[in-house]
Amino acid sequence: MADSVPNKEEFQALHNDGTKPRIASNLNHPYEPKPLGEQSRALNRQTIMVIIGNLGVMSIGMGLGLPTVTQRPMTDTTEQVYLTQSQFTWFASLNLLAAPLGGLLSGVLLDKLGRKCTIYALNILGLISWILLAIASKEDNDIMFIQLMASRFLVGVTHGLSSAPVGVYSAEISTPKIRGRLILGTSISVSLGITVIYVLGYFIRTDWRLIGWICTGFQVLTLLSVLPMPESPNWLISKGRLQDARKSLNYFRGLDKKATVTHPEVLAEFNVLQKNIQLAEGQKMPSFWKSLRLPEVYKPLLILIGMFTFQQLTGIFVIIVYAVQISVEAGVTMDPFMCAVLIGLARLITTCPMAYLLEKWGRRRAGIISAAGMTVCMILLAVQSHLRFIPFLPVIAIVSFIVLSTLGIFTLPFFMISELFPQHVRGRASGLTVAFGLLAAFFCTKTYPGMKDAIGNEYCFVVYGVVSFAAMIFVYLVLPETRRRTLFEIEEQFRMKKPLKPTQIEMSEICIK
């Protein structure tokens, strides 16, 4: 049998006439060369740069989880300075109110300054916010409160600012095969940041200023790590910086960082990028608001706004913020810090394999499975008082809800925001969408206590379960499948008003099945 497999020279000779192998790559032939951008050197460069960009996003997760671990020491009335309960609610929620501003600012900075400079900006704002927390006054309540409010405001702006740039950067430097796993790095970093702050809170329970100093040191390191990141070739081409764009594309395809492109594969990719961007610019669409009339802009915008709306109305942030309170009210006794750590770990562990699952299942299937599971979890929480014979049912339902939401409904809007928008509006459209999503998060989180008092926890969970079911229908009917599509193919799908044809890889999979 071994003699039936041609050697490398014989295999190459089969295609010396310049014709393209039909589906050789799908037969996993040992001598079929990988595309340049999918070879190990290129993949390592793409992955390392995305990891560096996402280090700053970890700080956002730390900021989100901070109120959970600081409520007790900050409101301790035996201390010389402390926050009242009313002041602490502002400390816990002001970041969500400020986050939409960061989302809008993100769109402007992404287009005007570039992806790398926007990542610089979010790291600088994050550094200032942690310094304000660490140096908060130990003698004057009013001064401390002002410093903490300024810190949380900047945390919110940084949160909004961070939701798009690294994802957009990841989408633009990567090849379709690994684009999903790189874009997902942002969600993994947020989850990791939340878990890290929960662990810090578990070990440092009384000195929240020390936590601030630790986070400040971490933010300094993340800021310095951005220095070696090359700018996205897409943005450089759009600004006419062609030499820098060639250097960047060469680097991300595993070649030397030169101002000239000699490899035919990279040259073809560069020419396609340049043509597409010039075509978009030639259509004379300087105004973002005028661009909203185009189907390739308003369709993904409406789809993502719908996804963010369902994401929040299903109660995802409510469960994350009030998980300990909900468990206690259900009669489960557990160290709240340990409970927080377990929730953070559950979300982090679930996020890590998401890139594989989204490539294996596709975006639509992951969303449908996620929404269906969330519906079941909410119904279980609603009827848990009638199922007391099942031990730890509330904890099981809450953790399962977090796991299942991470599998799709929570992750997909942030994931697909980097895929659906065309190049010429990607920055501002992403910023607008993120701003809407974060405003919805603030609204849902703030209204839950009043909603609970008005109709009770059980009926709140029923509402969230119904919305989760509606989200499943929305994903099935509306959400496009972007698995293994290039960004240009995705844009054409909306522009041409027809579904995409299956890729060659997908056709071969169908044939094999």
Side-chain angles (χ1 to χ4, degrees):
M1 292 299 293
D3 294 336
S4 65
V5 180
N7 60 33
K8 185 174 182 180
E9 289 73 22
E10 292 172 336
F11 180 82
Q12 291 174 336
L14 294 175
H15 308 290
N16 280 343
D17 60 352
T19 59
K20 185 177 180 180
R22 286 183 295 173
I23 316 179
S25 61
N26 300 317
L27 301 178
N28 296 319
H29 198 288
Y31 300 127
E32 175 65 12
K34 292 182 179 179
L36 193 65
E38 295 178 8
Q39 294 179 13
S40 58
R41 190 179 186 189
L43 294 181
N44 290 338
R45 289 179 176 180
Q46 295 167 28
T47 302
I48 290 172
M49 291 301 109
V50 171
I51 289 174
I52 288 174
N54 276 315
L55 287 176
V57 180
M58 274 185 62
S59 179
I60 308 305
M62 295 177 182
L64 286 173
L66 186 65
T68 302
V69 301
T70 58
Q71 181 175 8
R72 288 184 178 179
M74 280 188 173
T75 57
D76 186 355
T77 56
T78 63
E79 296 291 331
Q80 183 175 353
V81 290
Y82 60 89
L83 297 179
T84 65
Q85 289 297 333
S86 176
Q87 288 175 328
F88 185 82
T89 60
W90 278 107
F91 176 83
S93 61
L94 183 61
N95 61 308
L96 291 175
L97 187 60
L101 176 61
L104 296 174
L105 182 62
S106 172
V108 176
L109 295 182
L110 278 172
D111 287 338
K112 297 295 183 182
L113 301 182
R115 286 48 167 154
K116 181 177 179 178
C117 286
T118 306
I119 296 172
Y120 268 128
L122 71 90
N123 276 278
I124 292 171
L125 290 177
L127 177 61
I128 297 172
S129 71
W130 289 117
I131 291 174
L132 286 171
L133 177 75
I135 66 171
S137 175
K138 297 181 179 180
E139 299 177 353
D140 190 298
N141 267 7
D142 293 335
I143 294 176
M144 182 187 73
F145 180 64
I146 292 172
Q147 290 171 318
L148 293 180
M149 290 302 98
S151 172
R152 295 302 286 174
F153 180 84
L154 290 178
V155 167
V157 174
T158 308
H159 183 183
L161 194 61
S162 71
S163 298
V166 183
V168 171
Y169 182 81
S170 303
E172 292 179 347
I173 69 169
S174 60
T175 56
K177 182 178 180 180
I178 68 163
R179 185 179 68 226
R181 73 189 71 166
L182 293 187
I183 294 175
L184 195 66
T186 298
S187 296
I188 294 175
S189 296
V190 172
S191 298
L192 181 58
I194 293 173
T195 306
V196 167
I197 203 70
Y198 287 169
V199 171
L200 284 176
Y202 180 79
F203 289 104
I204 308 174
R205 302 200 175 196
T206 58
D207 193 348
W208 50 267
R209 291 181 180 84
L210 176 58
I211 294 177
W213 281 118
I214 293 173
C215 294
T216 298
F218 174 77
Q219 194 78 70
V220 170
L221 295 177
T222 65
L223 178 60
L224 295 176
S225 68
V226 180
L227 290 172
M229 289 179 64
E231 181 55 88
S232 155
N234 300 51
W235 184 82
L236 291 169
I237 292 174
S238 71
K239 297 303 178 182
R241 296 168 54 181
L242 300 185
Q243 287 191 351
D244 291 334
R246 294 186 187 99
K247 291 180 182 179
S248 177
L249 191 59
N250 275 329
Y251 176 82
F252 286 119
R253 296 304 173 257
L255 303 176
D256 293 335
K257 205 172 181 181
K258 295 181 179 180
T260 57
V261 178
T262 57
H263 195 285
E265 188 176 322
V266 180
L267 182 61
E269 182 178 2
F270 181 85
N271 289 336
V272 170
L273 283 175
Q274 189 175 14
K275 180 181 177 180
N276 292 341
I277 292 171
Q278 288 175 344
L279 179 63
E281 292 174 346
Q283 293 174 343
K284 296 182 180 180
M285 296 178 294
S287 170
F288 168 70
W289 302 110
K290 290 182 180 179
S291 297
L292 291 177
R293 302 174 186 174
L294 302 173
E296 65 267 30
V297 178
Y298 73 76
K299 285 186 177 181
L301 182 66
L302 292 176
I303 289 170
L304 286 170
I305 285 177
M307 285 296 294
F308 272 112
T309 301
F310 279 114
Q311 179 198 72
Q312 295 307 320
L313 293 181
T314 54
I316 289 176
F317 265 48
V318 170
I319 293 296
I320 292 174
V321 173
Y322 296 103
V324 175
Q325 177 184 340
I326 292 170
S327 299
V328 170
E329 290 177 353
V332 177
T333 58
M334 182 181 291
D335 182 347
F337 288 94
M338 179 56 68
C339 182
V341 171
L342 292 176
I343 290 172
L345 286 174
R347 184 177 173 190
L348 175 61
I349 293 170
T350 308
T351 306
C352 289
M354 275 300 296
Y356 170 79
L357 293 177
L358 289 175
E359 289 303 316
K360 184 71 175 178
W361 294 348
R363 283 49 161 168
R364 283 163 46 81
R365 187 185 300 178
I368 292 170
I369 293 173
S370 171
M374 291 163 62
T375 303
V376 173
C377 290
M378 280 298 168
I379 298 303
L380 287 176
L381 278 175
V383 302
Q384 57 86 22
S385 61
H386 304 289
L387 301 173
R388 297 286 185 180
F389 57 89
I390 301 179
F392 302 106
L393 178 60
V395 173
I396 294 171
I398 290 170
V399 173
S400 298
F401 181 87
I402 291 172
V403 169
L404 288 162
S405 65
T406 305
L407 285 176
I409 297 300
F410 182 81
T411 307
L412 279 176
F414 295 107
F415 184 90
M416 298 186 74
I417 202 172
S418 304
E419 294 185 317
L420 297 188
F421 291 121
Q423 165 71 29
H424 63 281
V425 297
R426 190 170 295 147
R428 295 192 181 187
S430 299
L432 179 62
T433 308
V434 169
F436 181 88
L438 293 172
L439 190 61
F442 171 77
F443 173 79
C444 293
T445 304
K446 290 293 288 182
T447 56
Y448 168 72
M451 182 178 173
K452 182 189 69 172
D453 293 340
I455 64 175
N457 255 339
E458 292 82 0
Y459 288 103
C460 288
F461 299 141
V462 169
V463 171
Y464 295 146
V466 170
V467 176
S468 297
F469 184 78
M472 180 180 67
I473 297 174
F474 180 85
V475 171
Y476 178 78
L477 295 177
V478 178
L479 194 70
E481 183 54 72
T482 60
R483 183 178 65 144
R484 295 175 183 170
R485 315 293 187 189
T486 67
L487 298 181
F488 180 71
E489 286 175 330
I490 296 169
E491 182 178 343
E492 283 296 298
Q493 177 184 14
F494 291 113
R495 181 182 292 117
M496 302 304 292
K497 302 180 181 180
K498 60 182 180 181
L500 284 171
K501 295 179 181 179
T503 62
Q504 189 182 48
I505 294 175
E506 290 171 336
M507 285 297 294
S508 66
E509 288 177 347
I510 294 172
C511 293
I512 292 172
K513 291 177 182 178

